[in-house]
Amino acid sequence: MILFGECKWQKKKMDTSVYERLLEKKESVRWKNTCRKEQIVLFSKSGFTVGLEKIAEREGIILYDLKKIKHILDKK
């Protein structure tokens, strides 16, 4: 399993362009290309656009915004 991720800590919501750039970057990683399982995780302080949320649902991308991160940390 290989994990690809991106984190944006800014005031605007993360949009699909961040995901598209990450897809381009991951193509340059040469590690078990023919047999690896991939997971994409995106972190955003301000959340995600509707378009990115739809892609995430369809593609199995994990999304963490500040609210979700705080919820996880408060459980501990």
Side-chain angles (χ1 to χ4, degrees), residues 35-46:
C35 64
R36 71 184 183 198
K37 292 183 181 182
E38 300 177 346
Q39 180 63 62
I40 295 177
V41 182
L42 301 173
F43 300 87
S44 172
K45 174 184 174 185
S46 302

Side-chain angles (χ1 to χ4, degrees), residues 9 12-13 26 40 45 51 62 67 75:
W9 217 248
K12 68 179 190 172
K13 291 184 176 189
K26 80 177 187 72
I40 295 177
K45 174 184 174 185
I62 300 170
K67 183 178 177 182
K75 285 183 174 181

Side-chain angles (χ1 to χ4, degrees), residues 1-73:
M1 169 70 76
I2 187 167
L3 179 74
F4 294 97
E6 190 77 37
C7 179
K8 299 294 182 194
W9 217 248
Q10 54 195 15
K11 292 181 181 180
K12 68 179 190 172
K13 291 184 176 189
M14 184 184 288
D15 66 12
T16 58
S17 66
V18 174
Y19 170 66
E20 290 163 0
R21 283 193 307 273
L22 182 58
L23 291 180
E24 292 172 7
K25 291 175 189 176
K26 80 177 187 72
E27 293 304 315
S28 66
V29 176
R30 304 286 178 233
W31 180 77
K32 295 187 178 186
N33 287 39
T34 59
C35 64
R36 71 184 183 198
K37 292 183 181 182
E38 300 177 346
Q39 180 63 62
I40 295 177
V41 182
L42 301 173
F43 300 87
S44 172
K45 174 184 174 185
S46 302
F48 307 90
T49 62
V50 172
L52 184 52
E53 288 175 341
K54 287 180 180 179
I55 291 172
E57 186 175 330
R58 185 178 69 237
E59 301 293 326
I61 299 164
I62 300 170
L63 303 177
Y64 288 100
D65 61 11
L66 185 56
K67 183 178 177 182
K68 191 171 188 178
I69 293 168
K70 283 182 176 180
H71 177 74
I72 291 168
L73 293 174

